Amino acid sequence: MRSGEAALLGVTLACTLLAGTAWAQAPVAPRLLGVPDLDGREVLPFDADARAYVVLFVRPGCPVSNRAAPEVARLHEEFARRGVALYLVYPGSLQPDEIRQHATEYGYPMAPIRDPSMRLVDLTGATITPEAAIFDASRKLAYLGRIDDRYIDIGRARREPTTRDVHDVLSAMLEGRRVPYASREAVGCFIDDLR
């Protein structure tokens, strides 16, 4: 083997190892990570045996988040019966009555949970509402990003989304196909405003 070929092989091997290391370092959700429900009882989102876990971050007062409600309901209807655990998460110190009113008003089908200490936010790396974090059956983060591409930017929306990102990722996972993307930039309201 010539020295140029050896150097190229070394660089290729190093890049492969680095890529594998980055993938291996994707966050893994602790089975016993607990957050409160609206009555103050602890919920362990990753303790259930599921084919995938979806953590959807929403908040009242965010128009982009509110417009995502029908798609969130569709996702729940399609994937909950297929063994996916979906959680509606309100980050920050919102009051339970405010959350109940918002969840009812927008027709969310799943029971909301709270993330007052931002444990789920920090685990997933979420920065925006609405944003989804999808973990595979081994509780490894597989996707973080927008729910769909309805919003191009703040104040600029399509009538209908052209890409349903969370739907596409979950479909691929459940069909044993490679996840089409690990992240998509979300548009909405910053979570850091709630800290």
Side-chain angles (χ1 to χ4, degrees):
M1 181 179 296
R2 290 181 283 194
S3 63
E5 291 172 334
L8 181 59
L9 179 61
V11 169
T12 303
L13 180 59
C15 289
T16 303
L17 290 173
L18 285 173
T21 302
W23 177 250
Q25 292 175 353
V28 176
R31 182 180 281 271
L32 299 181
L33 183 144
V35 292
D37 69 8
L38 300 189
D39 296 318
R41 292 184 300 261
E42 185 177 51
V43 176
L44 303 171
F46 302 102
D47 191 37
D49 286 328
R51 296 178 70 192
Y53 304 84
V54 181
V55 179
L56 296 156
F57 295 96
V58 299
R59 72 188 275 190
C62 179
V64 180
S65 184
N66 293 341
R67 288 222 30 215
E71 179 64 9
V72 170
R74 279 190 290 275
L75 290 166
H76 183 269
E77 181 181 336
E78 179 175 350
F79 291 104
R81 60 189 151 98
R82 294 175 66 189
V84 175
L86 294 101
Y87 297 95
L88 187 67
V89 178
Y90 287 79
S93 57
L94 295 166
Q95 296 303 308
D97 288 342
E98 184 180 8
I99 294 172
R100 274 189 194 92
Q101 179 180 347
H102 182 259
T104 300
E105 181 179 345
Y106 285 93
Y108 289 112
M110 64 278 261
I113 57 177
R114 298 170 51 228
D115 191 16
S117 59
M118 304 286 197
R119 294 178 74 196
L120 290 171
V121 168
D122 292 339
L123 170 71
T124 62
T127 59
I128 298 287
T129 62
E131 192 164 19
I134 302 175
F135 292 80
D136 64 18
S138 65
R139 297 170 184 80
K140 187 174 185 178
L141 184 64
Y143 173 80
L144 175 65
R146 67 189 186 195
I147 294 169
D148 61 33
D149 71 346
R150 175 185 297 271
Y151 272 85
I152 302 160
D153 202 347
I154 296 293
R156 291 184 55 218
R158 297 176 174 93
R159 290 176 60 102
E160 293 293 328
T162 60
T163 303
R164 297 174 63 210
D165 305 277
V166 170
H167 180 275
D168 296 347
V169 169
L170 287 173
S171 294
M173 289 176 85
L174 297 185
E175 294 165 10
R177 294 184 286 114
R178 175 181 225 130
V179 171
Y181 20 77
S183 66
R184 292 290 183 124
E185 186 175 352
V187 174
C189 305
F190 289 107
I191 290 174
D192 270 348
D193 294 350
L194 302 172
R195 286 193 190 267

